[in-house]
Amino acid sequence: GAKHDPAFGPMVLAGIGGVLVEALGDVRMAPAPIAPADARALFTGLELHLLLTGLRGKPAADLNAAVDALVRLSWLVADLGPRLVELDVNPLILRPAGLGAIAVDGRATLA
């Protein structure tokens, strides 16, 4: 997700998503735009990042696709500046490693 913070400017947010983000508040934020290494650090900094690594025989999620999506989103957020109030992509379904991601739903509020 993303928002424009009056004090810090454009910000991107990364979280596991769904009810888990609401229940646990496991979200990381960074000023936009961000570089791929910074996007990866947001995801690996999540408390629940191990869910992306392929637990209990499940394939690892395509973290590269998540990183790419967040970097691209960060440039959109930076370009929109204060016109953007908030933007949410939920869920962003990560397919198995190498197979990409699917943005199922998105919502943005513009000023």
Side-chain angles (χ1 to χ4, degrees), residues 36-109:
D38 298 323
R40 184 172 302 280
L42 288 178
F43 288 113
T44 59
L46 294 167
E47 295 291 328
L48 297 176
H49 79 277
L50 289 177
L51 293 176
L52 304 173
T53 65
L55 297 174
R56 294 190 177 216
K58 293 192 178 206
D62 196 337
L63 185 57
N64 290 335
V67 166
D68 184 56
L70 193 59
V71 168
R72 291 172 188 266
L73 178 69
S74 79
W75 282 100
L76 173 64
V77 172
D79 287 346
L80 286 171
R83 290 181 293 168
L84 176 72
V85 176
E86 65 180 0
L87 186 151
D88 188 34
V89 176
N90 193 8
L92 178 69
I93 297 174
L94 299 182
R95 299 178 71 200
L99 297 180
I102 301 167
V104 176
D105 190 25
R107 179 185 56 81
T109 303

Side-chain angles (χ1 to χ4, degrees), residues 15-27 47-48 51 90:
I16 294 298
V19 295
L20 293 177
V21 73
E22 294 170 13
L24 302 174
D26 189 13
V27 176
E47 295 291 328
L48 297 176
L51 293 176
N90 193 8

